[in-house]
Amino acid sequence: MAIQIFGSSKSFDTKKALRWFVERRIPVQGVNLKDKGISAGELESVISCLAKTCDSPRQAGTSLASSPVFKNS
């Protein structure tokens, strides 16, 4: 199972993250959000993971809603 990195193909930070995993020979998959977007199932998975690390699921949803990635969707 590879790590998925969601971002833009032109983003310096996305390229840097992909390069970091490749240099360490860790399987990684880059997903260009401008071309493909994020599916409902992937979004639920992200929210579920954030809910585990935040104090409450509501806090996780709030942080996603304020993200610039999801404002355009």
Side-chain angles (χ1 to χ4, degrees):
M1 185 165 132
I3 294 172
Q4 288 186 322
I5 297 179
F6 293 90
S8 169
S9 60
K10 294 183 179 183
S11 166
F12 175 76
D13 291 328
T14 301
K15 289 179 184 179
K16 186 176 176 181
L18 288 168
R19 186 172 49 248
W20 189 90
F21 284 103
V22 169
E23 287 172 354
R24 286 154 182 80
R25 297 185 179 154
I26 299 170
V28 64
Q29 176 185 4
V31 180
N32 188 353
L33 287 174
K34 291 187 178 190
D35 291 341
K36 184 176 181 238
I38 190 166
S39 72
E42 290 168 331
L43 182 59
E44 278 299 316
S45 176
V46 170
I47 292 172
S48 142
C49 288
L50 287 175
K52 292 176 187 175
T53 60
C54 296
D55 293 337
S56 69
R58 185 175 193 167
Q59 182 181 2
T62 303
S63 63
L64 275 178
S66 63
S67 170
V69 172
F70 297 103
K71 286 185 179 178
N72 296 331
S73 299

